[in-house]
Amino acid sequence: QVHLVESGGGSVQAGGSVRLSCVASGYDFSPFCMAWFRQAPGKEREKVASINIANETDYASSVKGRFTISKDNTKNTLYLQMSSLKPEDTAMYYCVRGSYYICTSSYDYWGQGTQVTVSS
């Protein structure tokens, strides 16, 4: 059974940094696309970043240059390093499994989410 468990969220002041982690279990982690999504109250869900088997990454324009997605296949763990945080980054952040090998628009398993709150 696939499990994705996020950690690392919390409250931080604007300009600060936070690193999110997601431990995956129940499947072979390394070949799958992985992504971080976020959703703020009253807003649509947004894909923040993704990473594929070749460690090719893609970012939403709103976070490009501030966030970095990475993974450690030896630990079955996905990371999101978030820097220069802004109040508009406040949201629930979700770790999500994508397609095999490449990243497409298909995502099938979601973690429970971890809250990030950025105060001004």
Side-chain angles (χ1 to χ4, degrees):
Q1 189 173 4
V2 174
H3 284 290
L4 301 170
V5 180
E6 303 97 333
S7 62
S11 296
V12 62
Q13 290 203 328
S17 298
V18 168
R19 188 176 82 156
L20 306 183
S21 299
C22 169
V23 178
S25 62
Y27 71 103
D28 185 5
F29 177 74
S30 59
F32 282 85
C33 167
M34 294 296 296
W36 290 96
F37 280 71
R38 69 184 180 186
Q39 188 164 24
K43 294 188 176 181
E44 289 192 359
R45 189 171 60 196
E46 173 188 29
K47 189 182 80 172
V48 175
S50 62
I51 185 168
N52 66 14
I53 187 174
N55 286 329
E56 296 169 330
T57 58
D58 184 56
Y59 296 93
S61 57
S62 57
V63 308
K64 198 170 292 186
R66 301 188 297 121
F67 291 11
T68 301
I69 188 171
S70 63
K71 61 189 177 103
D72 185 338
N73 292 331
T74 66
K75 297 180 179 179
N76 287 358
T77 301
L78 178 73
Y79 301 101
L80 185 68
Q81 178 67 47
M82 308 163 64
S83 303
S84 302
L85 282 162
K86 305 175 181 179
E88 51 263 43
D89 294 319
T90 295
M92 185 72 78
Y93 284 75
Y94 297 92
C95 170
V96 188
R97 191 183 82 167
S99 302
Y100 195 75
Y101 268 56
I102 63 172
C103 292
T104 67
S105 59
S106 176
Y107 294 91
D108 56 1
Y109 287 95
W110 295 68
Q112 83 287 351
T114 186
Q115 177 70 37
V116 174
T117 302
V118 184
S119 58
S120 57

